[in-house]
Amino acid sequence: MAISTPKSTTFLKLRSQYNKPNSLFHLNSQTCIPFSLKSSSMATHAVASSTLGLSETFAKLKKEGKVAFIPYITAGDPDLSTTAEALKVLGSCGSDIIELGVPYSDPLADGPVIQAAATRALARGTNFDSILNMLNEVVPQLSCPIALFTYYNPILKRIEKFMVTVKEVGVHGLVVPDVPLEETEILRREASKHKIELVLLTTPTTPKERMKSIVEATEGFLYLVSSIGVTGARASVSGKVQSLLKEIKAESSKPVAVGFGISQPEHVKQVAGWGADGVIVGSAMVKILGDAKSSEEGLKELAEFTKSLKSALL
Amino acid sequence: MAAAFTTTTPAPNSSSSSPFLNHFRSSQSPLLQFKKTGPKPLTISCVIAKPSSVQMGSVQDESSVLQRPDSLGRFGKYGGKYVPETLMYALTELESAFKALATDHEFQKELDGILKDYVGRESPLYFAERLTEHYKRPNGEGPEIYLKREDLNHTGAHKINNAVAQALLAKKLGKERIIAETGAGQHGVATATVCARFGLKCIIYMGAQDMERQALNVFRMKLLGAEVRAVHSGTATLKDATSEAIRDWVTNVETTHYILGSVAGPHPYPMMVREFHAVIGKETRKQALEKWGGKPDVLVACVGGGSNAMGLFHEFVDDKEVRLIGVEAAGFGLDSGKHAATLTKGEVGVLHGAMSYLLQDDDGQIIEPHSISAGLDYPGVGPEHSFLKDLGRAEYYSITDEEALEAFKRLSRLEGIIPALETSHALAYLEKLCPTLPNGTKVVLNCSGRGDKDVHTAIKYLQV
């Protein structure tokens, strides 16, 4: 039902779902289950035929001579229905891949903006099941792939089930910032069983030999962390990124996306100019949604901001 | 990645036996044997990295070939390095520096000197006469209780052993900025103390909630020249302070050393912090031999992150006949949902860099624990404890706030020693343990800290 109708009607239909007291995103996840069962068969069809995976997306963009724009938002902040809308907004404004953060109680790699978003999301009762239910609805409506950004403990809690269920709702990739290369064996095995691409990270402190091993093992793309620190907007992008990109590209033809700290069109342009295959923008996006007076206002601002960043890549 | 190393040493003479140096070597033994061995030769020499090697004087048997930890920092499946990639190089660097210092006699001498003249080691092994009397049964039989007096160390707890060694290590690494997390404030005070002693810049992260209940320690840290940063995120307690310290380290890794206060966190910390506290067990062995010509039968210690317990236990892990008992905080009771009994009620997961038991909800979120004692109020536990528990080598129990407060009062009355509330948990367990022990059993309890810092908490609950 939701899939075949034109986009605007779908939007309205789903919106009214969210505003109902027993809406999909009510704290009680029991109400989510019947809904997802109903649409699950359609969702499976839709997922099977829809978006490309991460590597495929980069391959396609490369042919077109384009750089990927990859926004990040935290699921559940300010609430899951806004997240659902935000995903659609980001998709329609030209995002090539979207990173969706799973809120966690102890996010070690995150600065104050994303930390606060996670705390708010958790306080609202956001949990793994409710995020999956939301994705089950929204992913069929997106034309770009989703990668989940999550810490390891929530995965460990349900590791076999995790990969199966995220694949079922149409997620293509995974980024886990607190699992370094040595500890990825289990994750990689489970992810590849279910054809989920496990993206690995490299940073300015990673020695060259180690970087080589990481780029060899990464799937989807290589996440190059732009600075020594946690997530959070910075005034400028470190010049080190330019030399790191050169070094990585000398070793591998896998696509490299740069993230952490990028918050302005100028940054995006600069990083793309240095040779990045993708640019990731997180905290700046999260801040817009978190600071906005209302969901509608936040989504509007998000759309404008996304367009301004995307235009820097054109 | 495997940091294999071999050292051959001449038979150590008594004047140069650094507790840390000899201890570290013996712990690198590839074999962990649980069968009864004869008295260990005092000349512990070669440490060989290949698993097929045999320690001098012992027999390779069917027991598992286990390293604690292995080259990836794992104790069985526990431990490891689950941190952002940015920290990986710093951890490798730290591990290399630590291993190099194990064979650096200058470093050992300097450390020994500080432990003796500044910290006040060795700490006494004290026969608690009246406490022993208290546990005598009507027929006059009962165990003998000895207290290892870590409370008599400079700063009033065992924490300083590790802080002093890591500060020296930081200096060798050329790092001049030190960060630390703290719960009760004891590790924060110990870190601020050593930073004052060594002229290092010191920043302590403390949960805003903890700052309130340990206001005296906050003042102490500031008086010692440290900057105390309140952490308001999450639950504003120890776990959040630890997360924030890790974030600071991720951001400032090139200039900063993180003095982690317990045997938790990513490798090499659990191993390193254990080694720096292992002097506790080493001294205990020597003192037990002097006092009664034998080994302790039972070791008891409170467990928050697990550092004082590992410090006492480590020396004796291979002595199968020595019972190892860890006591955690049961807060308002194990079924109340308000406790910190990680090893009893927790599930395996990853927290602050290590795979270990931890308190988490159904979604995999870390939950806020509760204990009257801030130092035990940690939802995780050192990975080596998780390993020892699964192996059945150590036993873990828990004690409620109420029971701990009773023990706090009891030791004060019976021995004139006011123990820390953390230590009181171990003392409280004696009530359950002693009736089961045969006559003359030698019990050594780690008196990990003194309770001056806790009187204003106790005042709210105790009628004196």
Side-chain angles (χ1 to χ4, degrees):
Chain A
M1 100 199 146
I3 321 297
S4 50
T5 53
K7 255 194 173 150
S8 52
T9 331
T10 309
F11 180 96
L12 289 169
K13 262 201 178 150
L14 285 169
R15 259 203 101 139
S16 61
Q17 294 280 5
Y18 307 158
N19 293 333
K20 277 195 204 150
N22 287 339
S23 82
L24 189 62
F25 309 117
H26 191 263
L27 289 179
N28 180 3
S29 63
Q30 294 300 310
T31 57
C32 301
I33 300 166
F35 194 97
S36 62
L37 279 176
K38 235 196 275 176
S39 57
S40 70
S41 58
M42 299 185 87
T44 322
H45 276 303
V47 164
S49 62
S50 69
T51 60
L52 303 171
L54 306 183
S55 332
E56 291 167 329
T57 302
F58 274 104
K60 177 167 167 278
L61 288 169
K62 190 165 185 188
K63 277 206 195 104
E64 298 165 3
K66 293 193 183 140
V67 172
F69 176 67
I70 306 173
Y72 161 101
I73 55 172
T74 301
D77 181 51
D79 52 54
L80 274 172
S81 52
T82 307
T83 304
E85 292 312 308
L87 289 173
K88 286 183 260 177
V89 162
L90 291 170
S92 62
C93 290
S95 302
D96 299 294
I97 293 170
I98 303 173
E99 260 189 57
L100 184 64
V102 176
Y104 180 54
S105 55
D106 291 82
L108 295 183
D110 285 309
V113 170
I114 296 181
Q115 274 178 57
T119 305
R120 287 190 298 261
L122 289 171
R124 277 200 75 103
T126 311
N127 59 34
F128 184 65
D129 288 339
S130 62
I131 295 172
L132 282 190
N133 276 332
M134 179 273 290
L135 285 175
N136 196 33
E137 287 304 304
V138 174
V139 168
Q141 300 171 59
L142 297 174
S143 54
C144 63
I146 300 254
L148 279 185
F149 185 104
T150 173
Y151 289 83
Y152 197 29
N153 204 54
I155 300 179
L156 266 184
K157 186 80 188 171
R158 45 174 84 77
I159 187 146
E160 293 97 21
K161 190 180 153 212
F162 183 89
M163 298 298 172
V164 170
T165 44
V166 307
K167 187 67 186 180
E168 255 173 30
V169 302
V171 166
H172 282 277
L174 199 56
V175 185
V176 190
D178 58 349
V179 180
L181 184 63
E182 302 75 341
E183 308 287 4
T184 52
E185 200 190 314
I186 298 172
L187 255 186
R188 270 194 276 166
R189 189 184 63 221
E190 293 299 317
S192 77
K193 243 197 251 173
H194 300 279
K195 296 206 178 28
I196 293 178
E197 295 165 280
L198 181 66
V199 173
L200 300 181
L201 301 97
T202 186
T203 74
T205 60
T206 306
K208 193 168 178 192
E209 284 309 306
R210 190 180 163 81
M211 177 274 283
K212 282 194 210 167
S213 312
I214 293 173
V215 72
E216 198 176 324
T218 194
E219 295 160 2
F221 62 92
L222 177 68
Y223 195 132
L224 172 58
V225 175
S226 68
S227 49
I228 298 175
V230 296
T231 62
R234 288 153 171 92
S236 61
V237 185
S238 163
K240 221 182 162 193
V241 172
Q242 189 176 19
S243 53
L244 284 169
L245 278 167
K246 260 205 201 107
E247 225 176 71
I248 296 167
K249 288 190 165 289
E251 295 303 324
S252 166
S253 57
K254 284 191 189 169
V256 185
V258 180
F260 282 41
I262 299 170
S263 55
Q264 295 164 26
E266 294 74 28
H267 299 161
V268 172
K269 196 171 182 167
Q270 187 176 40
V271 170
W274 286 338
D277 303 293
V279 183
I280 302 166
V281 180
S283 298
M285 302 269 164
V286 173
K287 196 164 196 302
I288 288 175
L289 289 174
D291 285 353
K293 290 193 198 72
S294 73
S295 179
E296 284 79 18
E297 209 185 279
L299 290 166
K300 193 160 159 263
E301 219 189 304
L302 189 75
E304 280 165 26
F305 185 57
T306 307
K307 284 185 204 140
S308 75
L309 293 172
K310 179 77 181 182
S311 66
L313 288 174
L314 297 168
Chain B
M1 203 71 65
F5 77 108
T6 58
T7 58
T8 48
T9 58
N13 54 51
S14 50
S15 60
S16 75
S17 61
S18 155
F20 161 56
L21 186 59
N22 289 337
H23 209 91
F24 176 62
R25 290 201 189 113
S26 66
S27 77
Q28 288 297 295
S29 160
L31 297 179
L32 185 65
Q33 292 149 53
F34 288 135
K35 67 169 207 158
K36 253 191 176 146
T37 51
K40 266 192 174 160
L42 289 173
T43 55
I44 298 167
S45 57
C46 310
V47 175
I48 301 165
K50 293 193 191 114
S52 55
S53 311
V54 175
Q55 193 178 13
M56 233 168 59
S58 54
V59 176
Q60 192 168 10
D61 65 5
E62 75 284 317
S63 323
S64 14
V65 177
L66 290 163
Q67 284 180 282
R68 293 184 292 122
D70 65 17
S71 58
L72 287 179
R74 296 210 190 103
F75 301 89
K77 71 177 184 193
Y78 300 106
K81 300 177 184 180
Y82 294 90
V83 291
E85 173 60 29
T86 310
L87 290 179
M88 292 302 289
Y89 181 66
L91 291 173
T92 307
E93 202 185 37
L94 190 54
E95 189 179 352
S96 309
F98 174 73
K99 291 208 164 118
L101 290 175
T103 54
D104 181 341
H105 284 272
E106 281 306 307
F107 178 82
Q108 296 310 317
K109 249 179 77 182
E110 199 181 349
L111 181 57
D112 285 349
I114 294 165
L115 287 173
K116 177 166 178 279
D117 296 332
Y118 187 67
V119 174
R121 299 210 76 91
E122 57 185 42
S123 63
L125 183 63
Y126 165 72
F127 174 58
E129 189 184 342
R130 292 194 68 214
L131 194 62
T132 298
E133 198 56 43
H134 171 76
Y135 291 117
K136 278 209 160 54
R137 303 185 270 269
N139 63 0
E141 295 190 341
E144 289 173 25
I145 318 291
Y146 290 81
L147 300 176
K148 182 62 174 150
R149 302 294 306 277
E150 292 299 297
D151 61 301
L152 290 176
N153 294 338
H154 178 40
T155 67
H158 70 291
K159 295 290 182 188
I160 191 124
N161 301 325
N162 171 54
V164 131
Q166 284 205 46
L168 267 185
L169 175 60
K171 284 207 100 166
K172 298 286 175 187
L173 284 170
K175 307 263 170 112
E176 289 184 350
R177 181 177 180 268
I178 301 292
I179 60 175
E181 85 295 341
T182 195
Q186 281 308 112
H187 173 61
V189 168
T191 305
T193 300
V194 303
C195 288
R197 168 67 184 74
F198 292 107
L200 298 162
K201 181 174 156 112
C202 183
I203 291 155
I204 307 291
Y205 287 97
M206 194 170 184
Q209 243 199 73
D210 287 338
M211 284 175 76
E212 253 193 62
R213 53 181 167 171
Q214 303 279 192
L216 196 55
N217 272 341
V218 175
F219 176 73
R220 278 199 191 98
M221 287 183 258
K222 290 180 178 169
L223 184 59
L224 291 161
E227 179 192 336
V228 183
R229 292 189 186 170
V231 177
H232 294 278
S233 57
T235 59
T237 54
L238 176 55
K239 76 167 179 78
D240 312 286
T242 310
S243 298
E244 197 58 30
I246 292 174
R247 287 183 201 109
D248 181 316
W249 202 30
V250 170
T251 310
N252 298 295
V253 65
E254 291 173 330
T255 59
T256 302
H257 178 64
Y258 174 24
I259 298 189
L260 222 163
S262 195
V263 287
H267 179 67
Y269 283 103
M271 171 187 76
M272 212 166 70
V273 176
R274 174 194 74 194
E275 291 308 323
F276 291 145
H277 281 303
V279 61
I280 302 173
K282 179 91 183 164
E283 283 176 6
T284 301
R285 184 188 286 283
K286 179 167 130 335
Q287 290 162 325
L289 211 56
E290 281 164 6
K291 285 189 159 29
W292 65 78
K295 293 182 238 188
D297 298 307
V298 187
L299 299 177
V300 185
C302 62
V303 175
S307 60
N308 90 85
M310 258 349 281
L312 180 62
F313 292 176
H314 183 56
E315 174 71 18
F316 298 99
V317 170
D318 292 349
D319 292 277
K320 199 185 179 190
E321 69 279 15
V322 178
R323 245 177 106 183
L324 309 176
I325 296 179
V327 185
E328 293 187 299
F332 291 153
L334 289 179
D335 297 321
S336 68
K338 293 256 164 233
H339 60 79
T342 313
L343 289 163
T344 308
K345 292 290 237 174
E347 286 168 40
V348 178
V350 164
L351 178 64
H352 298 145
M355 177 148 334
S356 193
Y357 278 96
L358 45 109
L359 296 174
Q360 51 185 300
D361 67 14
D362 289 333
D363 211 41
Q365 308 293 341
I366 312 302
I367 59 186
E368 185 189 354
H370 164 78
S371 170
I372 192 174
S373 62
L376 299 186
D377 206 350
Y378 183 62
V381 71
E384 193 165 7
H385 283 292
S386 298
F387 177 63
L388 292 175
K389 174 194 153 83
D390 277 8
L391 220 47
R393 179 63 190 96
E395 308 156 48
Y396 297 92
Y397 306 101
S398 57
I399 284 293
T400 63
D401 288 351
E402 216 181 295
E403 290 169 317
L405 280 164
E406 276 163 28
F408 177 84
K409 204 164 140 186
R410 191 178 310 120
L411 193 71
S412 304
R413 290 275 160 87
L414 291 178
E415 294 288 347
I417 299 170
I418 302 176
L421 281 174
E422 291 78 9
T423 312
S424 303
H425 286 71
L427 289 161
Y429 188 67
L430 292 177
E431 295 285 291
K432 303 186 184 170
L433 176 66
C434 293
T436 71
L437 297 177
N439 189 37
T441 307
K442 306 278 193 286
V443 177
V444 172
L445 187 143
N446 209 6
C447 195
S448 50
R450 62 171 187 245
D452 304 61
K453 66 179 179 68
D454 294 315
V455 291
H456 70 287
T457 301
I459 256 175
K460 297 186 209 158
Y461 300 95
L462 289 180
Q463 293 304 318
V464 293

